[in-house]
Amino acid sequence: MLSLLSIVFTFLALSLIPCLFISRRQSIPLSLKNILRFIKTGATQYNDEGESGTIEETEKRGRIPNHVAIILDGNRRWAKIRGLEVSEGHEAGGRRVVENSKKWFAMGVKTVSLFAFSTENWGRPEDEVNFLMAMFEKNFKSEMPYYQRYKIKISVIGKRTNIPESLLGLIREVEEATKSYKEKHLVMAIDYSGRFDILQACKSLSEKAKNGLIQVEDIDEKLMDKELMTSCSDFPNPDLLIRTSGEKRISNFFLWQSAYTELYFPNVLWPDFGEAEYLKALTWFQQRQRRFGRGV
């Protein structure tokens, strides 16, 4: 009898301790329903990794994209499903940004672009916008030692006209401190609009033609590329663009840059997009490359 009780208590401990850790890390109440969900998610990820393989195995099957762009969709829905505040969903999404970026750079991705805050997002409730601006500032400060240690260049693209001065000053500081780094590049799109990006590039080319710096007949795609905000990167056009949440559109993000990009739309919310989900995306990308003879 004592042996049976010992086995039962050991099983419960091995099951509950990881669930308690996940609950505290993601600020999710530890209920029976959530415990069962944690176990189910763990089993699903185990199966997914069995299908997609390890990072090393996936790398051997094909090339790693130079530039991965992400539309971070689903933070609010993630929070709503769990009965949490919207801010908690954004916090979970922010943690996922940090975790995933580190892993992708370690895998050999050279540029990671994040659609963190669109120009249209200014229309959200004021308290939500203020929270996001404060979260960006907090994350830049906390991750600065990591950027410098691993020589990750930081660029923030977007209008900047409505960004709070405290965040804007920090952006300038981070960009200045990391501008000499070459191998890894994190591009944050804040107050970004793909339409505005194209418009400002056209205006810049028009102004240069007006002032005799270029001839109208010389304007081509290469000149256009140089005027877009993504010209800050050695790989301005993404090889792989991922939009989480199942939405099958790129909205107002990288409209010009994504003309020849592989578009991947997983039916998973951004805070749940972990290593297993990325390996699925990478495997899909590599299969597309082999199927159509691209990059091989």
Side-chain angles (χ1 to χ4, degrees):
M1 184 66 177
L2 289 174
S3 178
L4 178 61
L5 288 173
S6 176
I7 292 172
V8 171
F9 283 125
T10 300
F11 173 78
L12 289 173
L14 291 174
S15 301
L16 290 176
I17 290 174
C19 292
L20 179 62
F21 174 78
I22 296 171
S23 173
R24 294 184 64 183
R25 183 173 181 177
Q26 297 190 358
S27 302
I28 299 173
L30 186 63
S31 63
L32 177 60
K33 180 179 178 182
N34 284 334
I35 289 173
L36 293 174
R37 182 173 61 80
F38 295 150
I39 295 173
K40 181 179 178 182
T41 300
T44 301
Q45 289 187 352
Y46 176 82
N47 290 334
D48 289 342
E49 289 169 0
E51 293 173 4
S52 299
T54 63
I55 290 175
E56 291 77 13
E57 290 170 348
T58 307
E59 288 176 346
K60 290 178 182 177
R61 287 201 290 266
R63 79 175 181 91
I64 300 298
N66 288 318
H67 183 172
V68 175
I70 310 288
I71 298 177
L72 316 173
D73 197 10
N75 291 345
R76 295 199 292 181
R77 274 171 280 177
W78 185 90
K80 184 177 180 181
I81 289 169
R82 290 159 178 77
L84 304 174
E85 296 293 329
V86 170
S87 59
E88 294 176 280
H90 289 310
E91 283 183 335
R95 289 193 296 270
R96 183 62 71 187
V97 163
V98 173
E99 292 168 4
N100 284 351
S101 298
K102 291 178 179 179
K103 290 177 181 177
W104 298 342
F105 283 129
M107 290 177 66
V109 176
K110 295 179 174 62
T111 297
V112 174
S113 293
L114 305 171
F115 197 14
F117 190 89
S118 73
T119 299
E120 291 81 5
N121 286 156
W122 291 114
R124 290 188 177 185
E126 184 177 357
D127 59 341
E128 182 180 356
V129 171
N130 290 339
F131 178 85
L132 285 168
M133 295 299 115
M135 187 181 75
F136 294 148
E137 192 168 338
K138 175 185 174 183
N139 288 347
F140 276 129
K141 288 179 179 177
S142 64
E143 294 304 313
M144 186 60 187
Y146 174 80
Y147 301 149
Q148 293 181 307
R149 180 180 178 184
Y150 290 96
K151 300 187 183 304
I152 298 173
K153 180 180 179 180
I154 306 298
S155 295
V156 176
I157 59 174
K159 293 183 181 179
R160 300 196 178 194
T161 52
N162 293 315
I163 295 177
E165 189 56 40
S166 59
L167 175 56
L168 200 55
L170 185 58
I171 288 171
R172 295 191 189 104
E173 180 183 330
V174 172
E175 288 182 326
E176 179 65 25
T178 63
K179 67 180 182 181
S180 63
Y181 302 150
K182 302 293 183 183
E183 298 298 322
K184 306 179 188 76
H185 195 174
L186 179 62
V187 180
M188 296 280 290
I190 300 177
D191 194 5
Y192 179 85
S193 158
R195 290 183 175 183
F196 175 79
D197 198 0
I198 294 171
L199 182 61
Q200 65 84 26
C202 290
K203 286 183 175 180
S204 178
L205 288 171
S206 176
E207 190 68 19
K208 288 180 178 179
K210 179 181 176 182
N211 294 331
L213 299 175
I214 60 173
Q215 299 299 313
V216 173
E217 55 269 23
D218 294 333
I219 297 176
D220 57 13
E221 291 185 11
K222 289 184 178 180
L223 278 181
M224 184 71 171
D225 284 338
K226 291 179 181 178
E227 296 298 330
L228 293 168
M229 295 178 182
T230 42
S231 63
C232 62
S233 171
D234 291 335
F235 303 95
N237 302 321
D239 302 295
L240 173 63
L241 187 150
I242 301 169
R243 178 177 184 151
T244 55
S245 85
E247 291 273 3
K248 292 181 172 59
R249 55 194 177 91
I250 61 174
S251 296
N252 200 1
F253 184 53
F254 287 0
L255 300 179
W256 173 279
Q257 297 90 334
S258 299
Y260 304 106
T261 299
E262 300 288 2
L263 306 176
Y264 184 73
F265 303 105
N267 191 26
V268 58
L269 303 178
W270 171 246
D272 290 328
F273 191 85
E275 184 175 302
E277 288 73 27
Y278 178 68
L279 288 177
K280 282 184 180 179
L282 182 56
T283 298
W284 175 87
F285 170 80
Q286 292 171 341
Q287 289 171 347
R288 295 273 299 178
Q289 297 292 292
R290 289 194 297 272
R291 179 180 177 185
F292 297 106
R294 294 193 284 263
V296 294

